[in-house]
């Protein structure tokens, strides 16, 4: 402000131990835009920064100094003390830098997932025809369910259909359980029949596309929310790996990649339920109303 420059500029006085980065930032306030200024920093052995980050050996040394100099206002200039504080600051700065690098690596993994997710979402939002995408997602979901068992019976297929395809009673033909290939062909044909029945209740292709789009977006959006919560918890879970000599960032990225692949599969499974088990109707205003179970 006015008159500060004539009085010698701004004086910055630090009363706690700070990291070199923060200390330089504060000292820089004293000489902004070429103005004069000064800075001086004081350190107390009772500072929380020192007590929380010192080794057991240095803590014992600091206690000896306190007992030796009962006058708390007396400044200490011991070379050993200065060296120990410098080592403390260096160690903490190194830990902070490693922490920032770890956070950056974790943020990179998250950013890659986010970019990929929103690319998938934009494709769904901008699509004009969904038959191919819907068919692919349903086929992927069927493959997953059929892979859970080596052999399928008519009863097993009936239970699967009641859980994920239709709440109506469906008579499964015996030949559908002859092999996994025939079971998949039957389930895909059943899916097409269900979607054809749903489309017959709609007025035009625009409403049909709206139904497909809503079903897919609801599936991926809900799974993405679960993925965000999982990644948040994962950051805390991988930290103990450092005590075992393993890189927490590597563990995080590896598990995050696996989790994202599972999320994409989970989205297809949820989309199958949305497409086949949902109820649709057109209200009095001619608007499509979709209810997901």
């Amino acid at each position: 402000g006015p008159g500060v420059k004539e009085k010698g500029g701004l004086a910055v006085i630090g009363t706690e131990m700070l990291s070199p980065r923060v200390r330089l930032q504060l000292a820089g306030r004293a000489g902004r835009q070429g103005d004069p200024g000064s800075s001086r920093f004081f350190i107390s052995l009772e500072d929380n920064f020192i007590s929380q980050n010192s080794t057991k050996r240095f803590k014992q040394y600091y206690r000896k100094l306190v007992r030796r100099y009962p006058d708390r206002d007396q400044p200490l200039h011991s070379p050993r003390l200065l060296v120990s504080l410098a080592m403390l600051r260096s160690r903490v700065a190194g830990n902070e830098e490693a922490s920032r690098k770890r956070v950056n690596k974790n943020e990179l993994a998250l950013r890659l997932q986010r970019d990929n997710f929103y690319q998938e979402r934009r494709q769904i939002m901008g699509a004009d025809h969904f038959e191919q995408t819907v068919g692919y997602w349903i086929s992927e979901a069927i493959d997953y369910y059929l892979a859970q068992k080596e052999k399928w019976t008519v009863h097993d297929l009936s239970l699967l259909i009641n859980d994920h395809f239709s709440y109506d009673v469906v008579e499964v033909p015996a030949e559908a359980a002859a092999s996994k290939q025939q079971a998949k062909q039957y389930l895909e044909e059943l899916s097409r029949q269900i979607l054809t029945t749903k489309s017959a209740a709609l007025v035009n292709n625009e409403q049909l596309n709206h139904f497909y789009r809503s079903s897919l977006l609801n599936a991926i959006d809900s799974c993405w929310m679960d993925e965000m919560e999982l990644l948040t918890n994962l950051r805390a879970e991988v930290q103990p790996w450092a005590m075992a000599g393993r890189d927490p960032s590597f563990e995080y990225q590896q598990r995050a990649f696996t989790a994202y692949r599972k999320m994409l599969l989970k989205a297809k499974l949820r989309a199958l339920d949305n497409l086949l088990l949902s109820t649709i109707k057109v209200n009095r205003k001619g608007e499509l109303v979709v209810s997901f179970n």
Side-chain angles (χ1 to χ4, degrees):
V4 174
K5 184 175 181 179
E6 290 73 14
K7 295 179 181 180
L10 179 67
V12 174
I13 301 176
T15 58
E16 58 182 314
M17 188 169 188
L18 304 167
S19 65
R21 181 174 60 88
V22 175
R23 181 174 176 174
L24 288 175
Q25 287 178 346
L26 292 177
R29 304 290 297 182
R32 299 194 61 155
Q33 299 180 351
D35 289 341
S38 61
S39 63
R40 189 170 184 182
F41 295 85
F42 297 88
I43 301 173
S44 170
L45 295 184
E46 297 172 338
D47 192 294
N48 289 334
F49 184 95
I50 296 177
S51 62
Q52 293 173 3
N53 296 286
S54 294
T55 62
K56 182 178 179 180
R57 178 184 177 186
F58 281 133
K59 285 182 180 180
Q60 293 175 348
Y61 173 60
Y62 297 155
R63 293 191 187 100
K64 290 181 180 179
L65 289 177
V66 171
R67 290 194 297 268
R68 186 182 304 171
Y69 302 99
D71 183 3
R72 299 299 178 88
D73 295 333
Q74 180 177 353
L76 304 176
H77 299 287
S78 167
R80 181 183 176 187
L81 175 61
L82 297 178
V83 170
S84 67
L85 292 176
M87 292 175 61
L88 170 64
R89 183 185 289 112
S90 177
R91 184 176 66 256
V92 173
N95 292 339
E96 291 178 347
E97 182 180 0
S99 178
R100 287 194 296 272
K101 289 182 178 179
R102 185 164 57 248
V103 170
N104 290 337
K105 289 181 180 179
N106 295 346
E107 288 297 327
L108 175 61
L110 176 59
R111 185 168 67 250
L112 291 174
Q113 289 196 19
R114 185 186 295 113
D115 292 345
N116 186 271
F117 167 76
Y118 280 106
Q119 182 180 358
E120 291 276 349
R121 200 178 193 281
R122 283 193 295 269
Q123 290 177 353
I124 295 175
M125 289 291 296
D128 296 324
H129 304 284
F130 289 90
E131 287 76 9
Q132 184 175 0
T133 301
V134 166
Y136 170 71
W137 284 35
I138 289 178
S139 178
E140 288 279 301
I142 291 174
D143 285 339
Y144 171 79
Y145 286 127
L146 292 179
Q148 304 307 304
K149 298 183 66 174
E150 286 296 327
K151 294 184 179 180
W152 286 81
T153 65
V154 171
H155 177 69
D156 294 333
L157 290 175
S158 296
L159 293 178
L160 179 63
I161 290 171
N162 289 336
D163 287 339
H164 301 287
F165 291 79
S166 175
Y167 294 133
D168 298 331
V169 177
V170 178
E171 294 294 335
V172 180
E175 57 269 20
S179 65
K180 282 189 178 182
Q181 182 178 2
Q182 289 180 274
K184 181 177 180 178
Q185 292 176 352
Y186 172 75
L187 293 176
E188 287 182 333
E189 179 59 30
L190 177 63
S191 301
R192 284 191 289 268
Q193 293 176 5
I194 295 174
L195 292 177
T196 300
T197 302
K198 287 180 181 290
S199 63
L202 303 177
V203 176
N204 50 40
N205 285 334
E206 183 179 350
Q207 288 187 345
L208 180 60
N209 284 338
H210 176 65
F211 165 63
Y212 285 151
R213 186 180 294 110
S214 299
S215 299
L216 301 185
L217 287 179
N218 175 272
I220 66 171
D221 287 348
S222 58
C223 290
W224 178 247
M225 295 298 294
D226 294 340
E227 178 74 0
M228 291 296 94
E229 182 179 359
L230 184 147
L231 292 181
T232 300
N233 296 331
L234 184 59
R235 291 185 181 184
E237 292 178 5
V238 299
Q239 294 309 313
W241 282 104
M243 301 178 63
R246 301 178 65 173
D247 184 4
S249 295
F250 177 77
E251 292 292 331
Y252 175 86
Q253 294 178 47
Q254 206 173 36
R255 296 190 186 189
F257 176 73
T258 301
Y260 186 72
R261 294 184 63 181
K262 290 182 178 179
M263 186 212 74
L264 294 178
L265 174 59
K266 186 178 179 181
K268 293 179 174 63
L269 300 180
R270 189 165 296 183
L272 176 70
D273 291 350
N274 288 348
L275 290 164
L276 303 183
L277 298 179
S278 59
T279 57
I280 61 174
K281 63 179 180 179
V282 179
N283 61 20
R284 295 179 179 179
K285 298 181 180 180
E287 299 172 335
L288 178 63
V289 180
V290 184
S291 299
F292 300 117
N293 297 323

